[in-house]
Amino acid sequence: MIDMNNFLSFQIHGGADHGGGIVESLASLLAFFDKLSTQGPGDIFSSLMPGIAGMANIHPLLVHFPIAFLSAFFALDLVGTLAKKPQWRSVAGWFLYFGAVAALFTVIAGLIAANSVPHGQNVHDIMERHEHFGLSVLSLAVVLSIWRIIRGGLIRGGANSFYLILSALMCVLMMLGADLGGLMVYHYGVAVEAVQAPEGGHDHMH
């Protein structure tokens, strides 16, 4: 049996290998807000959003939105077609429209980033392919959106099979482009300010 008094005391006052507990976490949070009250607007933003403030460009921030929206669109449209659920496909259409808009802003941010991030020729070739994939995804998203709007929100019959093939192609190109983006960041360190890990750093494997 677990002694609930000891268990709750452990949770509130800490004692795990990372220290803390609710009391220490609350004290840390209050100290954080107290520090914010003494800062100017620019410093407040940097304190609240240190990741965004430290970015060389916002392309990595925006890229998650078209990936999420367009993937959800394809999955929901495919399942809605197979299950004969027009309501699901109507919702899928909105995911597509949001994804197309998100892809537009992501591509624009990516083009700006490409001209502002220092990189060598080996990375430049990867970046060019990444850019081509991004433009292809945007083009397909716009074409599929316009086609859907013209047809009143739903594509039916044999045309829908071709529509789903184009949607699948768009998702495959998006996946390939995302893979190249990850390669540039995690292998070549593009737009990443490397920090040397101190000896005896924290290990999350216990």
Side-chain angles (χ1 to χ4, degrees), residues 46 66 134 187:
S46 296
H187 184 72

Side-chain angles (χ1 to χ4, degrees), residues 43-107:
D43 292 330
I44 290 177
F45 178 78
S46 296
S47 296
L48 290 174
M49 300 288 185
I52 297 177
M55 284 182 172
N57 59 81
I58 62 171
H59 178 69
L61 175 67
L62 297 178
V63 73
H64 299 84
F65 292 96
I67 292 175
F69 283 135
L70 296 178
S71 298
F73 148 69
F74 175 64
L76 198 55
D77 206 39
L78 178 61
V79 173
T81 297
L82 296 176
K84 295 181 172 55
K85 298 286 187 179
Q87 300 91 341
W88 294 10
R89 298 189 61 206
S90 296
V91 174
W94 285 104
F95 279 121
L96 172 62
Y97 306 146
F98 287 134
V101 173
L104 174 62
F105 286 107
T106 301
V107 167

Side-chain angles (χ1 to χ4, degrees), residues 11-61:
Q11 294 298 314
I12 294 173
H13 297 289
D17 60 346
H18 52 74
I22 296 176
V23 172
E24 186 172 327
S25 297
L26 182 59
S28 177
L29 182 63
L30 292 175
F32 172 74
F33 283 118
D34 183 59
K35 181 181 177 182
L36 282 183
S37 66
T38 65
Q39 296 177 337
D43 292 330
I44 290 177
F45 178 78
S46 296
S47 296
L48 290 174
M49 300 288 185
I52 297 177
M55 284 182 172
N57 59 81
I58 62 171
H59 178 69
L61 175 67

Side-chain angles (χ1 to χ4, degrees), residues 125-143:
D125 295 336
I126 298 173
M127 191 176 290
E128 285 289 306
R129 282 187 286 147
H130 178 71
E131 178 181 317
H132 294 157
F133 281 131
L135 290 171
S136 298
V137 169
L138 173 60
S139 300
L140 282 171
V142 170
V143 168

